[in-house]
Amino acid sequence: AFKAGTERPEILATTEQVTKRLEAGAEGEQLVDVRGKDLYWGLTLNASMVPPQGKGHIPTAKNFPVVFMVNSMGPAARFYTKDEVLKVAELSKIDTGKPTTLYCDSGANASLGWFVWSEVLGNKQARLYDGSMNEYTNTGTRPLTLMKNE
């Protein structure tokens, strides 16, 4: 039985917070881009929606595509188990216990990533950057990284 509650601003990250984190070089925190490698590396833009104003990823962001959190093959999507997600994170050299801000292009897939980080993996320091790449790139002046794994 689901009951909606009040807004929880502590689980959200703003563009200003993400930008300050980059400027400060915040140690102990990480950004995680949940888009596919083609978008993360800057090979393509997402054509199924209003695309971001630039290719690539936010500097320092690690890539952990949402397809490693949810299996959408078959008649119904299902979350991978905690152990499966942790193993993929280990293979990807991503620390799921660190304070983490998750993003995508528009915030939709990032919200799924936030749910996995927070509720499946138990990281209560996970935050959702719901503005994601569309908001981050809207000025055309913020730095982006191309063709690089962080």
Side-chain angles (χ1 to χ4, degrees):
F2 174 78
K3 182 179 178 184
T6 60
E7 182 180 15
R8 294 173 50 202
E10 72 277 6
I11 69 169
L12 299 175
T14 65
T15 300
E16 292 74 28
Q17 290 168 328
V18 169
T19 302
K20 283 181 184 175
R21 180 206 173 281
L22 293 175
E23 292 168 356
E27 291 296 317
E29 295 182 32
Q30 65 186 350
L31 285 169
V32 172
D33 184 331
V34 303
R35 301 173 304 155
K37 288 278 187 208
D38 58 329
L39 298 167
Y40 175 78
W41 285 331
L43 292 170
T44 60
L45 283 174
N46 192 340
S48 65
M49 59 171 47
V50 177
Q53 299 300 306
K55 292 181 176 182
H57 62 271
I58 299 172
T60 76
K62 297 181 179 294
N63 187 229
F64 197 93
V66 75
V67 297
F68 296 146
M69 298 178 228
V70 177
N71 181 350
S72 61
M73 303 301 283
R78 72 165 184 85
F79 289 106
Y80 286 114
T81 67
K82 180 178 181 177
D83 289 340
E84 289 169 326
V85 175
L86 288 172
K87 183 61 179 175
V88 173
E90 178 186 335
L91 292 169
S92 303
K93 297 180 173 65
I94 295 176
D95 183 348
T96 60
K98 278 185 163 182
T100 302
T101 298
L102 299 110
Y103 75 92
C104 59
D105 275 335
S106 65
N109 283 330
S111 65
L112 196 65
W114 172 86
F115 181 84
V116 169
W117 240 252
S118 176
E119 305 305 308
V120 175
L121 302 179
N123 182 340
K124 298 305 180 186
Q125 298 177 88
R127 293 189 304 163
L128 166 64
Y129 178 27
D130 62 339
S132 288
M133 286 293 283
N134 279 317
E135 189 172 312
Y136 181 81
T137 62
N138 69 2
T139 64
T141 60
R142 294 186 185 102
L144 293 168
T145 299
L146 295 164
M147 301 302 288
K148 180 181 177 187
N149 282 328
E150 306 270 5

